[in-house]
Amino acid sequence: MNAFENKRILIIGFVWPEPKSSAAGSRMMQLISFFKENGAEITFASTAAKSEFSEDLEGVDRKFITLNCSSFDDFVMNLQPDLVLFDRFMTEEQFGWRVKEHCPNAIRILDTEDLHCLREARRLAILKNKPFELNNDLAMREIASIFRCDVTLMVSEFEMELLQTHFKVPSFLLFYLPIWVENTSLNLPRFEERTDFVFIGNFLHAPNHDAVVYLKEVIWPLLFEKFPEAKMNVYGAYPTQKINSLHQPKLNFYVYGRAESSFEVISKARVLLAPIRFGAGIKGKLLEAMQFGTPSVTSTIGAEAMNGDFLWNGYISDSPDDFAEKAIELYQNKTIWEQAQQNGFEIIKNRFSKNIFEDSFLEMIKDKFENLENYRERNFIGSMLMHHFLQSTKYMAKWIEEKNKV
């Protein structure tokens, strides 16, 4: 018998997943596939509009839902899910109290993608020159959401530690589940068959936007001066006017927009460059670079929580001059490049293979089903926050709903 046979799972998506646009979309498709493989009946619901790049979600019931509307109450009461997965804390804020009220026995799981309050604190420190302040307004909301849920899926061990030490979140409310890689055998080009540098990322994601601007304006002039044969190819969904304006063929800096296949553009490149100055979670582009045998140069924040005790598949540098020098060295030196490639394969094998996590993930959910009330009794802060949040949000939502009728 499959682990989730006869179990109904409701996923409330912040957006409809676009796995070809972002790591977040790939992560969501992994979770959906995992639940399907284990026999669950899945319903995916979202307030967002679909785009032409949204996944079809074959074999999954789909539902458009509305904010501040009692129609969701009727929907969730009829569905009576056994488990509800909230895609980022904003969806838990919007619908968590309704799930609690109408499906009190459903397990509530939050998938953070990354720790938003950490990313925001770093963004303000870099772009606004503000002091790093982790106890920001976003943290008040995000940590409260984590406490209100029965378990939160974390992609970063660094962030799990931060939640436990800084915010005093109990360990039983957290579960480490990074983006994983299926064990697949890929026919990868050799060193001699690859050319150019590459960057890929969704430009709706602020860290990606900033990284490419920083790469073009600060790092690339240093690199191009020392290595004028170098060519930089930038790919990414939803490029802004600013990103498109960085396209300068005279400087061998090319902006191409959305890539049909991340495998095609990353595996053909010799080195991936990702000078990420702020952000959180783990970086899908760097994980794919390892998977596709492409060494990388990135920042400390870019590599955060990814390689553990293993050597990076390239170089980690926060200095523009050093970053440029390391990129050239990695590009030109076959011996260093091949060792870096092997380092990436070791990281994938030992830290991100699907078989490392699937059994423990199943066991964790099984344990939650069997001992849900015991866990909730241990989480008094979560019960208290849910009680007050339900009361305040419920009546605010009803007021908005009535106002919208006028």
Side-chain angles (χ1 to χ4, degrees):
M1 179 176 175
N2 287 328
F4 298 129
E5 193 168 337
N6 300 321
K7 297 290 187 185
R8 290 183 294 272
I9 294 178
L10 170 62
I11 300 174
I12 304 180
F14 183 67
V15 294
W16 295 87
E18 295 183 22
K20 292 184 178 180
S21 299
S22 69
S26 298
R27 158 72 160 198
M28 180 53 68
M29 292 309 301
Q30 285 185 350
L31 292 173
I32 290 173
S33 297
F34 182 80
F35 289 133
K36 284 174 64 177
E37 288 166 8
N38 286 279
E41 300 174 17
I42 305 172
T43 299
F44 189 97
S46 180
T47 62
K50 284 186 175 181
S51 80
E52 60 180 302
F53 305 106
S54 299
E55 196 75 4
D56 287 337
L57 300 183
E58 185 178 350
V60 174
D61 290 333
R62 286 145 288 181
K63 174 75 175 179
F64 287 97
I65 52 178
T66 305
L67 285 173
N68 303 307
C69 183
S70 58
S71 61
F72 179 85
D73 301 343
D74 297 330
F75 158 67
V76 80
M77 278 192 290
N78 289 331
L79 184 64
Q80 283 299 307
D82 300 287
L83 184 156
V84 178
L85 177 72
F86 299 102
D87 173 23
R88 284 162 272 203
F89 79 90
M90 295 79 82
T91 61
E92 189 280 331
E93 284 185 326
Q94 295 157 352
F95 296 102
W97 67 271
R98 294 182 185 271
V99 171
K100 166 68 174 175
E101 189 166 68
H102 301 295
C103 308
N105 296 321
I107 295 174
R108 299 187 298 274
I109 297 181
L110 173 63
D111 187 35
T112 55
E113 302 291 353
D114 61 17
L115 203 56
H116 293 66
C117 62
L118 174 61
R119 169 158 41 97
E120 178 65 5
R122 288 170 168 171
R123 184 188 73 85
L124 293 174
I126 290 292
L127 299 185
K128 305 296 183 181
N129 200 29
K130 293 187 176 182
F132 178 81
E133 180 52 68
L134 193 53
N135 294 346
N136 51 44
D137 290 344
L138 207 58
M140 303 295 178
R141 296 168 53 195
E142 189 168 25
I143 306 308
S145 180
I146 289 171
F147 270 101
R148 286 193 298 266
C149 290
D150 297 307
V151 68
T152 293
L153 306 181
M154 303 295 300
V155 301
S156 164
E157 293 159 315
F158 173 82
E159 292 172 15
M160 283 190 68
E161 181 68 19
L162 187 68
L163 286 173
Q164 293 175 78
T165 57
H166 185 82
F167 293 110
K168 310 304 179 187
V169 176
S171 60
F172 68 85
L173 292 180
L174 305 173
F175 185 81
Y176 176 57
L177 189 72
I179 302 171
W180 60 57
V181 174
E182 306 256 6
N183 291 326
T184 56
S185 179
L186 299 172
N187 184 20
L188 299 173
R190 301 187 306 274
F191 175 86
E192 296 83 1
E193 298 171 319
R194 296 169 179 251
T195 59
D196 306 336
F197 296 98
V198 71
F199 176 95
I200 187 168
N202 186 326
F203 291 114
L204 294 178
H205 192 54
N208 288 332
H209 193 282
D210 175 76
V212 169
V213 173
Y214 182 70
L215 174 63
K216 172 60 170 59
E217 296 180 351
V218 178
I219 294 175
W220 190 251
L222 301 170
L223 194 157
F224 190 65
E225 182 181 7
K226 297 177 181 178
F227 184 26
E229 297 83 13
K231 180 181 175 183
M232 184 72 217
N233 298 320
V234 174
Y235 296 88
Y238 306 108
T240 63
Q241 183 178 355
K242 173 66 176 177
I243 294 298
N244 286 328
S245 73
L246 301 177
H247 180 80
Q248 284 191 279
K250 289 183 179 180
L251 297 177
N252 285 356
F253 198 98
Y254 298 86
V255 177
Y256 293 108
R258 181 185 294 272
E260 286 299 315
S261 165
S262 60
F263 172 74
E264 284 296 314
V265 300
I266 296 176
S267 67
K268 289 180 179 178
R270 190 172 289 179
V271 177
L272 183 139
L273 302 181
I276 298 167
R277 299 198 298 165
F278 63 89
I282 58 175
K283 314 306 180 290
K285 64 181 67 58
L286 295 171
L287 192 61
E288 287 188 321
M290 296 179 203
Q291 183 184 6
F292 303 153
T294 307
S296 64
V297 186
T298 190
S299 61
T300 301
I301 286 178
E304 183 178 84
M306 293 198 67
N307 59 314
D309 296 328
F310 293 87
L311 294 175
W312 187 252
N313 72 318
Y315 292 111
I316 299 170
S317 177
D318 297 313
S319 159
D321 286 295
D322 184 62
F323 193 104
E325 289 177 5
K326 290 294 193 293
I328 295 170
E329 180 182 43
L330 191 56
Y331 190 96
Q332 295 180 332
N333 191 312
K334 179 179 178 180
T335 301
I336 294 175
W337 187 93
E338 289 180 338
Q339 182 57 60
Q341 184 186 65
Q342 288 303 313
N343 293 346
F345 293 153
E346 285 298 305
I347 294 170
I348 289 287
K349 176 184 175 182
N350 291 282
R351 290 183 54 77
F352 295 101
S353 293
K354 180 181 178 182
N355 57 20
I356 297 174
F357 303 102
E358 53 186 341
D359 289 344
S360 59
F361 187 32
L362 282 173
E363 285 301 313
M364 182 275 291
I365 295 178
K366 180 182 177 182
D367 182 43
K368 294 295 180 184
F369 274 123
E370 294 175 351
N371 301 289
L372 185 59
E373 287 309 310
N374 290 335
Y375 281 119
R376 287 181 175 175
E377 286 177 6
R378 293 170 61 188
N379 183 19
F380 176 78
I381 291 177
S383 298
M384 177 180 65
L385 289 169
M386 178 60 81
H387 172 79
H388 289 286
F389 189 71
L390 191 151
Q391 299 303 317
S392 60
T393 308
K394 175 180 179 179
Y395 292 106
M396 175 61 74
K398 288 185 177 296
W399 179 82
I400 294 173
E401 184 176 0
E402 291 301 316
K403 185 173 181 291
N404 289 339
K405 293 178 181 178
V406 177

